[in-house]
Amino acid sequence: MIITKAGRRMFPAMRVKITGLEAHQQYYIAMDIIPVDNKRYRYVYHSSKWMVAGNADSPVPPRVYIHPDSPASGETWMRQVVSFDKLKLTNNELDDQGHIILHSMHKYQPRVHVIRKECGEELSPVRAIPTGEGTYTFSFPETVFTTVTAYQNQQITRLKIDRNPFAKGFRDSGRNRMGLEALVESYAFWRPSLRTLTFEDIPGMTKQGKENVNRDLRTFGLCT
């Protein structure tokens, strides 16, 4: 995943479908991105593999992307695909634009948070997500990515240029489409995946609410 000083949108963007919320309850939807481990990586060209290159750099300031439609009712969230396509990544530790700050050549895991409004009063773009009752966190192993300032693999470069709506200037209109589609099929992260998240015991909810609290999130656009 490309990161820049000025900030670069994630592509593919994370998009989720949420069900099982209380229709009239207000919720915040937010995303943060956390390190997968405490390692720094490098790409080995002759073997086309990522290898550990040492310990991770010092932690960066916590940043949270609060979905611009927040807060909204459960009914509103459930009738739309929730997209994080406006979220931007940067490697500028002095960033004052609200972008998510990450180190290059590190592995990261995006997390989606569903937060009841009364539990999200202290929600801030520059503080860690509040924890406890009323905050539900979801992550998908398919969305783990490695940050770079330039793509390390020519196939990924071609794939992203062709699929990214913001990369029209790089496209070659005469490219062989069949060859590209074969390339796309070779990458599993383009295939949609379904995850079912079940909460058996949420304090303060009625029995009917507990029975209906299952949330199915389908990831439509997965990070690389």
Side-chain angles (χ1 to χ4, degrees):
M1 193 72 68
I2 290 284
I3 59 176
T4 65
K5 291 290 185 183
R8 177 73 69 90
R9 290 192 184 195
M10 292 177 63
F11 180 78
M14 176 78 95
R15 306 193 328 169
V16 296
K17 179 67 176 176
I18 306 174
T19 65
L21 302 179
E22 296 177 38
H24 301 295
Q25 171 67 44
Q26 295 284 306
Y27 297 90
Y28 290 93
I29 304 293
M31 179 185 286
D32 66 357
I33 301 177
I34 61 172
V36 170
D37 53 31
N38 62 350
K39 305 297 183 184
R40 179 181 174 86
Y41 291 82
R42 64 184 178 89
Y43 189 74
V44 181
Y45 290 92
H46 70 270
S47 60
S48 298
K49 293 180 179 180
W50 287 96
M51 304 291 290
V52 173
N55 293 327
D57 295 330
S58 57
V60 297
R63 287 287 175 88
V64 174
Y65 178 82
I66 304 171
H67 195 281
D69 292 344
S70 298
S73 68
E75 181 180 24
T76 298
W77 290 120
M78 289 188 291
R79 67 169 176 245
Q80 67 186 37
V81 173
V82 181
S83 175
F84 295 90
D85 58 335
K86 294 183 179 179
L87 182 154
K88 289 187 177 183
L89 309 177
T90 182
N91 57 351
N92 179 11
E93 295 188 36
L94 301 178
D95 172 78
D96 60 0
Q97 301 299 309
H99 304 329
I100 301 291
I101 303 173
L102 305 175
H103 286 305
S104 181
M105 298 297 193
H106 290 60
K107 286 187 178 182
Y108 290 97
Q109 170 72 70
R111 302 188 303 176
V112 177
H113 307 271
V114 180
I115 306 165
R116 295 171 70 98
K117 184 180 179 182
E118 62 270 22
C119 304
E121 298 301 331
E122 296 183 3
L123 190 62
S124 166
V126 295
R127 290 204 300 267
I129 293 285
T131 59
E133 181 182 341
T135 298
Y136 311 109
T137 299
F138 310 111
S139 61
F140 307 95
E142 299 95 330
T143 64
V144 169
F145 61 83
T146 303
T147 50
V148 295
T149 54
Y151 292 128
Q152 308 295 301
N153 182 304
Q154 291 301 313
Q155 290 184 319
I156 292 294
T157 302
R158 289 180 53 206
L159 184 64
K160 287 208 173 189
I161 285 176
D162 193 84
R163 292 288 170 146
N164 190 341
F166 297 100
K168 291 181 180 179
F170 294 95
R171 295 194 185 108
D172 176 7
S173 59
R175 181 179 298 158
N176 185 313
R177 298 295 307 173
M178 291 301 292
L180 180 68
E181 292 305 321
L183 174 63
V184 170
E185 286 300 316
S186 71
Y187 286 91
F189 55 72
W190 286 103
R191 300 175 187 135
S193 173
L194 179 66
R195 294 291 180 270
T196 302
L197 305 144
T198 304
F199 298 83
E200 296 296 335
D201 185 20
I202 299 178
M205 290 190 65
T206 64
K207 179 179 179 181
Q208 181 178 2
K210 292 179 182 179
E211 293 172 350
N212 295 331
V213 77
N214 287 354
R215 290 160 170 79
D216 295 339
L217 282 77
R218 181 181 301 274
T219 51
F220 290 90
L222 298 180
C223 306
T224 59

